[in-house]
Amino acid sequence: MKSLKARFVLFMAIAAVAPLLAYGVVSVASLITSTRQSVTNGNLNVATRAAEQVGQYLDNNLKILRALAADLRHTGQQPWQQNRILRNYALDFPELREIALFDETGAPLATSRADHPRLEPPSPTLVGSRGVWISPVSVDADLLPTTTIAVRLSGIEARCGGWLVGELSLEELWRLVDRIRVGSQGFAVLATQEGRLIAHGNPNEKR
């Protein structure tokens, strides 16, 4: 009789505690899931804002080249005047390390350098409908990331078209990535569409 009574009491205790345990397990699981989702959304927002800043950096420099192209169209300037304009732009916008002007045949007309340009116009087959070409990211002799932007233009000294080409330094993107913090120990990484690493926010992994 006592054994049956003890079993009954144990059964009643389990029946009373089991729903509380189940509720606790479900609550903890739900909290973990919602916390993970919140952290994921927060990281996604950080990445989205950073990607917008990278896009703005490229767009702003593209606008600079377009403005320069507008200054060079239909002006009848002498080569020394074109050289002076390109050098002034390169001084005012140091992220554009070199700017060069080419005619339709690819012959150089002016450059921001003191000697011959190192840049070359792109193949017309690579240029999109907007008349813009952006090269894949490369690393220069100083181990700094760079890209080349080319803008199609027309009316250069009575010719049917030409190119304005600029070498854009991406070193500023390193600073942008370094400023991004994800939690207490997280960091950001910037890579090209092909998966090539451009910037790493972890100081121990920069090399």
Side-chain angles (χ1 to χ4, degrees):
M1 190 66 178
K2 291 182 179 180
S3 177
L4 181 63
K5 184 176 181 180
R7 290 181 181 180
F8 179 75
V9 171
L10 179 60
F11 174 77
M12 293 299 294
I14 292 175
V17 173
L20 295 178
L21 292 176
Y23 177 78
V25 171
V26 172
S27 298
V28 171
S30 176
L31 179 61
I32 293 175
T33 301
S34 61
T35 301
R36 182 182 294 112
Q37 186 64 42
S38 177
V39 171
T40 300
N41 291 338
N43 294 342
L44 180 61
N45 290 334
V46 171
T48 301
R49 291 195 300 269
E52 291 173 351
Q53 294 180 44
V54 172
Q56 289 175 0
Y57 181 77
L58 295 176
D59 289 342
N60 289 341
N61 285 282
L62 179 57
K63 290 178 182 178
I64 292 172
L65 286 180
R66 287 189 181 278
L68 176 55
D71 288 343
L72 296 171
R73 285 192 182 104
H74 308 290
T75 57
Q77 297 159 336
Q78 297 298 316
W80 68 268
Q81 294 174 311
Q82 293 175 334
N83 285 329
R84 177 64 60 84
I85 291 175
L86 296 186
R87 289 167 187 169
N88 288 340
Y89 265 79
L91 290 174
D92 292 338
F93 304 99
E95 60 271 19
L96 289 169
R97 303 175 59 181
E98 180 184 349
I99 311 173
L101 180 65
F102 301 89
D103 66 12
E104 179 68 17
T105 66
L109 297 176
T111 177
S112 61
R113 287 172 52 85
D115 51 6
H116 299 291
R118 296 175 302 178
L119 300 174
E120 295 181 355
S123 170
T125 59
L126 299 176
V127 181
S129 59
R130 297 177 57 193
V132 175
W133 174 74
I134 301 178
S135 74
V137 176
S138 60
V139 178
D140 62 13
D142 298 323
L143 300 181
L144 298 175
T146 64
T147 188
T148 301
I149 301 177
V151 176
R152 180 81 165 169
L153 62 159
S154 60
I156 301 178
E157 297 182 351
R159 293 179 174 86
C160 59
W163 302 94
L164 185 63
V165 184
E167 182 185 18
L168 176 62
S169 171
L170 301 179
E171 187 178 358
E172 177 61 30
L173 299 184
W174 284 2
R175 303 185 183 94
L176 169 63
V177 171
D178 286 344
R179 290 194 294 265
I180 298 175
R181 291 293 178 267
V182 182
S184 59
Q185 298 179 343
F187 52 86
V189 171
L190 178 63
T192 66
Q193 185 175 0
E194 296 78 17
R196 183 171 186 176
L197 185 64
I198 300 177
H200 205 303
N202 186 348
N204 299 325
E205 300 292 338
K206 287 185 181 296
R207 183 176 296 276

